[in-house]
């Protein structure tokens, strides 16, 4: 199974795609292929991104994989290139079947010996206490071992001391391409010479001395460049001299336990709080159960395939990079959604709680407040997928999403508590389940004390006319944003027979007529507006309680009317839009769409809603005067969101602005997204972890972060704890260091205190 819009690169890497956001082919081709904007290309010329990339995948090993519980002491790559783990005086070898097998012939028979294989595989028993062993190091046919007190050369079945000064603690050994032995120690960095151990003095361009004490790690990379790690930072000796890396240069953390080099020039660093990889350009931080068995990384070994193997405080793990295409990644998420996420025969898509931490097989999806929104966004991704290459599986999934959303309109009618026609429920749940109304009113009354406009009424969950379903009322504006976003795309891309188009027209006509007939209010079964379903001028323009919602709700209702006009062809919807614009200033309202104070401010749910509306309004409206204003509004909104590296936001914006400019009293200016927007988008798509379990993540301690200005405190430790911030490059943390279920989650958040008890859908990737 391939997800269509991401598979479009099979058309050829040399293709340059024309992007015209207002036409049917616009965003589809943008989403399906491009990755980088050529600095010399025209506004609409984009270079396709590689469909293939290397997906980072982490595996943790435990007793079910053949390893004993507890701390791992050493890990090495043996003379054949096979990972071996040492723990409790025993060696374990990784097998092709993904399990570990104990090497009984290498088991220590007492605490006073250490057994290891030499370069030929022969078993050597060394008169060294195995509990003291710090490292096994191999180079060609030479083997060294080390304790914290002494390095040894293994030869002729014995371990010969290399005469290390006993007052200095050894932290790590390394050997370079010339066979020179290096030691990182409590007294600095030393190399082995014919005359003994020689310290290496290092100074930077600012006159600072480096590596003069407590060097925590040392390695020689594939280019024979020497590296060291200290609490002050990391140094690398290149042909042109020493380079140094600190937090301001992107180094995430500095409590090192060691380091090692990979076959492609990459360097891995172990720390007491996660692992770090430097690929020559960027620093990648890996921490928490999503990546490691334990944050205490005691040792790392990298094999010839580039797989990084970890000995940690709770066993072994590996991070590897497997070739994958974006289409294959999409198919992986589609499979998980089908197996674990979809709920009820209609297939609502949100997320799934787990009965056992991390065990996806225990998923039991239940209803959420916004099932309509999340299912709509999932369905929108399927519409783009079908439009890109005509994948019938994507079309079938989009149709299922349409039926699910259509049912949310049908289920509300005919029962004992029936709202006006067209009303859409938030979600449904079977009446075979416990009554969700039980004890609900008390909670609503408490909420009303905090929120003056909150509704306390019964039942919040009425029953359907046939008695089979509870349906949730008090539907919000974000639900409607999602429904309209999906319906327009489904009508354009997937409803390819007249009967299906008429079904879409019917759904859209009913809800839009409901809003118009009730003065642009969403009226619930109690005859009153829902808490958030407010689009009327007397509220948005005159009620001080509603002025924060003025911009976005004006944008929403103009989008709904535009979508309805496009789908039904009825001119009354365009006329209603013009009335809101000309009599009530709604076009001016959307020029200030969100109450915010720069990047990271405001509500991210608003951002998600806003981008769906902007995209549809610019795509389907025929009001050119309005669209001219909307593009300028969209530019200001996107500029605020650009540091969030959100591909959905970036693609939605670029689809409508790559060929556009705007003009104000200061002159004409380009609306084209600035350099880096596409690279950021692709980095996010490549970086999405396959594991969508909500594992905990910690970042607030990192050295490469700055706090948002609103988070500043006189006590930096207090401000960092659970705070919000961004990297020194001005952007949010990479997707690999965050967890979220939907695009409405705060991307500036630093720590995620989760427990692995929920599985998120891949909708955020698919869309």
């Amino acid at each position: 199974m391939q997800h269509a819009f991401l598979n479009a690169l099979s058309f050829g890497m040399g293709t340059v795609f024309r992007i015209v956001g207002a036409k049917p082919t616009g965003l589809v081709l943008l989403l399906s292929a491009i990755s980088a904007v050529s600095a010399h290309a025209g506004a609409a010329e984009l270079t396709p991104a590689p469909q293939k990339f290397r997906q980072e995948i982490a595996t943790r090993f435990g007793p079910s994989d053949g390893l004993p519980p507890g701390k791992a002491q050493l890990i090495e790559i043996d003379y054949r290139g096979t990972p071996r783990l040492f723990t409790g005086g025993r060696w374990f070898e990784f097998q092709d079947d993904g399990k570990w097998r104990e090497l009984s012939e290498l088991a220590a028979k007492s605490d006073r010996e250490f057994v290891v294989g030499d370069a030929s595989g022969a078993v050597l028993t060394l008169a060294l206490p195995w509990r003291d062993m710090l490292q096994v190091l191999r180079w060609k046919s030479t083997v060294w071992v080390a304790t914290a007190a002494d390095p040894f050369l293994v030869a002729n079945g014995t371990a010969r001391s290399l005469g290390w000064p006993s007052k200095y603690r050894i932290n790590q050994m390394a050997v370079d391409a010339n066979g020179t032995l290096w030691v990182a120690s409590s007294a600095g960095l030393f190399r082995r010479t014919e005359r003994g151990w020689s310290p290496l003095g290092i100074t930077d361009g600012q006159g600072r001395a480096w590596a003069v004490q407590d060097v925590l790690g040392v390695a020689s990379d594939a280019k024979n460049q020497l590296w060291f790690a200290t609490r002050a930072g990391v140094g690398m000796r290149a042909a042109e001299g020493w380079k140094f890396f600190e937090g301001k240069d992107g180094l995430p953390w500095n409590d090192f336990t060691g380091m090692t080099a990979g076959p492609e020039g990459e360097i891995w660093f172990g720390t007491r709080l996660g692992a770090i990889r430097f690929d020559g350009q960027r620093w990648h931080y890996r921490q928490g159960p999503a990546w490691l068995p334990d944050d205490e990384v005691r040792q790392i070994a990298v094999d010839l395939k580039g797989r990084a193997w970890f000995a940690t405080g709770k066993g072994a793990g590996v991070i590897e990079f497997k070739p994958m295409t974006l289409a294959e990644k999409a198919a992986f998420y589609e499979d998980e959604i089908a197996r674990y996420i979809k709920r009820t025969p209609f297939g609502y898509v949100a997320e799934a709680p787990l009965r056992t931490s991390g065990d996806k097989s225990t998923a039991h999806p239940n209803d959420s407040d916004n099932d309509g929104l999340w299912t709509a966004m999932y369905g929108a991704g399927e519409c783009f997928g079908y439009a890109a290459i005509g994948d019938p599986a994507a079309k079938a999934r989009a149709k299922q999403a349409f039926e699910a959303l259509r049912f949310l309109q049908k289920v509300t009618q005919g029962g004992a508590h029936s709202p006006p026609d067209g009303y859409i429920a938030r979600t449904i749940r079977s009446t075979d389940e416990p009554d969700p109304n039980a004890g609900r009113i008390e909670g609503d009354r408490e909420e009303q004390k905090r929120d003056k406009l909150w509704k306390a009424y019964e039942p919040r969950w009425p029953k359907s006319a046939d008695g089979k379903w509870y349906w949730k009322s008090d539907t919000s504006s974000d639900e409607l944003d999602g429904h309209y976003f999906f319906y327009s795309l489904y009508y354009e891309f997937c409803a390819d027979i007249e009967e299906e188009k008429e079904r879409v027209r019917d759904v859209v006509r009913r809800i839009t007529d409901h809003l118009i007939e009730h003065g642009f209010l969403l009226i619930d079964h109690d005859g009153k507006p829902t808490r958030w379903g407010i689009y009327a001028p007397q509220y948005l323009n005159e009620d001080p309680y509603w002025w924060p919602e003025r911009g976005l709700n004006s944008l929403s209702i103009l989008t709904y009317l535009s979508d309805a006009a496009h789908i039904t062809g009825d001119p009354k919807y365009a006329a209603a839009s013009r009335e809101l614009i000309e009599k009530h200033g709604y076009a001016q309202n959307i020029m200030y769409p969100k109450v915010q104070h720069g990047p990271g401010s405001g509500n991210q749910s608003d951002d998600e809603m806003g981008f769906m509306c902007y995209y549809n309004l610019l795509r389907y409206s025929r009001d050119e005067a309005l669209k001219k204003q909307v593009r300028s509004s969209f530019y200001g909104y996107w500029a605020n969101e650009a540091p969030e590296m959100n591909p959905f936001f970036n693609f939605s914006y670029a689809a409508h602005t790559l060929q556009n400019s705007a003009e104000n009293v200061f002159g004409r200016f380009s609306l084209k997204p600035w350099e880096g927007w596409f690279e950021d988008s692709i980095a996010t798509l490549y970086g999405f972890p396959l594991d969508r379990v909500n594992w905990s993540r910690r970042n607030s301690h990192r050295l490469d972060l700055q706090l948002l200005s609103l988070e500043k405190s006189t006590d930096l430790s207090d401000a960092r704890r659970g705070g919000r911030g961004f990297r020194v490059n001005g952007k949010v943390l990479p997707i690999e260091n965050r967890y979220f279920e939907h695009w409405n989650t705060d991307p500036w958040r630093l720590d995620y205190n989760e427990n692995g008890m929920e599985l998120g859908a891949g909708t955020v990737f698919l869309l």
Side-chain angles (χ1 to χ4, degrees):
M1 175 170 32
Q2 290 186 328
H3 195 272
F5 74 76
L6 293 174
N7 194 41
L9 272 178
S10 60
F11 295 156
M13 287 301 297
T15 306
V16 176
F17 294 93
R18 188 165 67 92
I19 309 303
V20 185
K23 294 185 179 180
T25 56
L27 184 60
V28 174
L29 291 180
L30 178 66
L31 285 172
S32 63
I34 51 183
S35 77
V37 179
S38 170
H40 306 291
E45 294 178 345
L46 295 152
T47 303
Q51 172 78 192
K52 274 192 172 182
F53 67 104
R54 296 200 307 168
Q55 175 66 47
E56 192 170 0
I57 300 173
T59 304
R60 294 169 293 163
F61 302 104
S64 63
D65 305 299
L67 290 180
K71 292 183 178 181
Q73 185 172 338
L74 305 175
I75 197 157
E76 68 142 342
I77 307 301
D78 76 1
Y79 61 97
R80 300 165 301 162
T82 303
R84 285 183 174 181
L85 182 80
F86 184 72
T87 179
R90 299 181 292 165
W91 283 100
F92 295 82
E93 183 175 272
F94 188 70
Q95 306 294 296
D96 291 340
D97 62 1
K99 303 294 185 179
W100 294 82
R101 178 179 67 87
E102 183 177 356
L103 300 175
S104 56
E105 67 275 18
L106 297 183
K109 296 180 176 58
S110 75
D111 288 351
R112 304 303 302 170
E113 66 180 35
F114 177 64
V115 185
V116 67
D118 71 7
S120 65
V123 175
L124 300 177
T125 300
L126 308 178
L128 298 170
W130 64 260
R131 296 183 189 277
D132 294 343
M133 298 313 302
L134 182 71
Q135 185 182 4
V136 175
L137 179 64
R138 300 177 184 274
W139 183 73
K140 297 182 179 179
S141 61
T142 306
V143 178
W144 294 273
V145 297
T147 67
D150 209 353
F152 299 87
L153 174 66
V154 178
N156 301 319
T158 62
R160 178 171 63 86
S161 171
L162 296 180
W164 179 255
S166 60
K167 60 182 178 179
Y168 302 144
R169 183 187 71 252
I170 293 174
N171 292 320
Q172 188 182 13
M173 300 183 299
V175 60
D176 63 24
N178 303 316
T180 301
L181 187 65
W182 295 85
V183 169
S185 78
S186 59
L189 187 60
F190 287 77
R191 68 171 175 265
R192 178 72 174 172
T193 70
E194 293 181 355
R195 289 179 288 182
W197 294 100
S198 175
L200 184 65
I202 304 168
T203 57
D204 62 16
Q206 303 176 50
R208 296 180 298 178
W210 287 76
V212 293
Q213 61 181 6
D214 217 11
V215 177
L216 302 173
V218 60
S220 178
D221 68 17
K223 297 180 181 179
N224 202 27
Q225 298 175 135
L226 185 67
W227 291 76
F228 68 85
T230 74
R231 290 301 297 265
V234 168
M236 183 268 284
R237 185 173 63 184
E240 62 273 21
W242 284 97
K243 296 181 180 179
F244 302 92
F245 304 92
E246 304 171 70
K248 63 181 177 59
D249 306 301
L251 176 67
W253 191 230
N254 61 357
D255 193 6
F256 299 107
T257 56
M259 58 193 297
T260 191
E264 298 182 9
E266 71 276 27
I267 299 290
W268 281 92
F269 301 84
T271 82
R272 289 181 173 83
L273 192 54
I276 300 167
R277 176 171 57 90
F278 183 64
D279 64 10
Q281 294 181 317
R282 290 173 295 275
W283 297 86
H284 307 268
Y285 184 55
R286 300 293 176 259
Q287 177 275 331
W291 297 108
L292 299 166
D294 186 62
D295 283 341
E296 182 194 0
V297 179
R298 301 164 66 87
Q299 201 166 71
I300 306 176
V302 182
D303 64 22
L304 294 177
K305 297 179 181 179
R307 298 178 297 183
W309 299 85
F310 305 94
T312 79
K314 293 181 181 177
V318 64
I319 291 178
E320 55 190 318
F321 299 85
K322 292 186 177 180
M324 183 174 276
T325 66
L326 290 168
E328 290 168 344
K329 190 169 187 175
F332 175 88
Y333 291 133
E334 294 283 16
D335 179 65
E336 287 216 328
I337 289 170
R339 294 171 63 189
Y340 306 120
I341 302 289
K342 285 189 174 180
R343 186 182 66 83
T344 80
F346 296 97
Y348 295 103
V349 177
E351 60 278 328
L354 305 177
R355 291 186 172 92
T356 302
S357 179
D359 186 351
K360 292 182 286 189
S361 69
T362 66
H364 61 116
N366 54 24
D367 56 83
S368 77
D369 263 5
N370 300 114
D371 275 3
L373 171 61
W374 310 140
T375 303
M377 298 182 82
Y378 169 75
E382 303 304 324
C383 292
F384 290 131
Y386 179 64
I389 63 169
D391 180 3
K395 182 180 180 182
R397 292 189 291 264
K399 181 174 176 59
Q400 184 186 38
F402 172 71
E403 294 300 333
L405 296 173
R406 179 171 175 262
F407 186 71
L408 292 179
Q409 188 179 85
K410 294 171 61 178
V411 74
T412 64
Q413 301 303 301
H417 300 87
S418 185
D421 184 52
Y423 184 92
I424 293 171
R426 282 180 175 270
T427 186
I428 59 169
R429 67 187 302 180
S430 171
T431 51
D432 292 336
E433 299 180 52
D435 185 350
N437 294 297
R440 172 81 200 209
I441 190 66
E442 290 81 4
D444 283 342
R445 286 170 180 155
E446 286 300 312
E447 182 65 30
Q448 207 171 46
K449 295 176 183 178
R450 296 186 290 271
D451 180 352
K452 177 182 177 181
L453 301 180
W454 188 260
K455 296 179 64 177
Y457 68 107
E458 292 185 293
R460 189 167 286 265
W461 288 81
K463 281 187 179 181
S464 60
D466 61 9
K468 294 181 179 179
W469 302 100
Y470 292 109
W471 60 268
K472 192 169 189 179
S473 59
D474 200 25
T475 302
S476 65
S477 54
D478 44 357
E479 292 297 289
L480 295 191
D481 285 343
H483 277 257
Y484 277 99
F485 179 60
F486 169 74
Y487 290 143
S488 297
L489 297 172
Y490 184 75
Y491 181 83
E492 179 179 1
F493 296 141
C494 299
D496 47 12
I497 60 174
E498 181 57 29
E499 179 184 359
E500 190 70 2
K501 286 185 177 295
E502 182 54 37
R503 284 157 58 82
V504 183
R505 293 187 195 112
D506 179 66
V507 171
V508 172
R509 188 182 294 114
R510 287 175 182 274
I511 180 57
T512 313
D513 287 351
H514 174 115
L515 293 170
I516 292 176
E517 290 168 7
H518 294 91
F520 302 107
L521 301 172
L522 183 62
I523 301 300
D524 216 326
H525 68 78
D526 63 351
K528 298 177 182 179
T530 66
R531 168 65 177 88
W532 295 106
I534 304 293
Y535 307 95
Q538 67 269 28
Y539 288 92
L540 299 187
N541 288 347
E542 301 172 22
D543 188 334
Y545 284 104
W546 280 97
W547 79 264
E549 314 302 328
R550 179 183 299 161
L552 272 180
N553 283 26
S554 296
L555 174 65
S556 291
I557 192 63
L558 293 182
T559 301
Y560 305 165
L561 294 169
S562 169
D563 290 343
H566 167 72
I567 292 171
T568 68
D570 192 328
K572 72 177 182 181
Y573 301 117
S577 177
R578 289 313 308 171
E579 180 177 353
L580 290 175
I581 292 169
E582 293 171 1
K583 291 187 177 181
H584 302 288
Y586 273 38
Q588 278 64 46
N589 288 352
I590 66 175
M591 298 307 292
Y592 185 56
K594 173 186 172 184
V595 179
Q596 58 190 13
H597 307 282
S601 63
N603 183 305
Q604 274 69 31
S605 289
D606 292 345
D607 302 334
E608 180 181 63
M609 296 158 60
F611 273 81
M612 290 189 294
C613 288
Y614 275 120
Y615 176 75
N616 267 23
L617 185 55
L618 287 170
R619 187 176 187 86
Y620 299 114
S621 174
R622 296 298 174 258
D623 188 334
E624 293 302 324
L626 172 63
K627 288 164 69 173
K628 184 177 180 180
Q629 288 183 264
V630 172
R631 289 190 192 98
S632 294
S633 175
F634 202 3
Y635 175 80
Y637 207 130
W638 176 81
N640 193 68
E641 301 303 312
E644 296 181 5
M645 301 179 67
N646 185 320
F648 171 50
F649 290 2
N650 288 343
F651 293 157
S652 299
Y653 177 73
H656 293 295
T657 58
L658 286 177
Q659 291 182 317
N660 291 106
S661 60
E663 191 170 9
N664 58 26
V665 294
F666 301 105
R668 181 164 292 279
F669 59 95
S670 172
L671 296 175
K672 181 178 177 180
W674 49 68
E675 185 178 355
W677 70 272
F678 207 91
E679 292 82 354
D680 286 348
S681 302
I682 295 300
T684 298
L685 291 177
Y686 286 168
F688 258 108
L690 294 183
D691 187 351
R692 293 283 294 140
V693 173
N694 68 334
W695 298 114
S696 64
R697 288 165 168 84
R698 290 178 60 190
N699 294 286
S700 56
H701 60 284
R702 289 173 58 161
L703 306 174
D704 61 337
L705 298 180
Q706 298 183 41
L707 298 177
L708 281 170
S709 58
L710 297 178
E711 302 290 331
K712 286 182 178 176
S713 166
T714 54
D715 187 336
L716 185 60
S717 62
D718 284 346
R720 282 183 176 273
R721 193 158 34 243
R724 303 169 74 238
F726 54 95
R727 288 177 290 161
V728 291
N729 64 4
K731 300 175 183 178
V732 297
L733 292 166
I735 199 81
E736 297 93 324
N737 299 123
R738 296 186 278 129
Y739 175 78
F740 55 91
E741 294 157 355
H742 310 287
W743 283 128
N744 69 332
T745 306
D746 182 5
W748 304 87
R749 179 180 170 188
L750 298 179
D751 293 339
Y752 300 79
N753 300 316
E754 312 293 351
N755 55 9
M757 294 297 291
E758 191 161 79
L759 176 65
T763 297
V764 281
F765 176 89
L766 300 176
L767 179 59

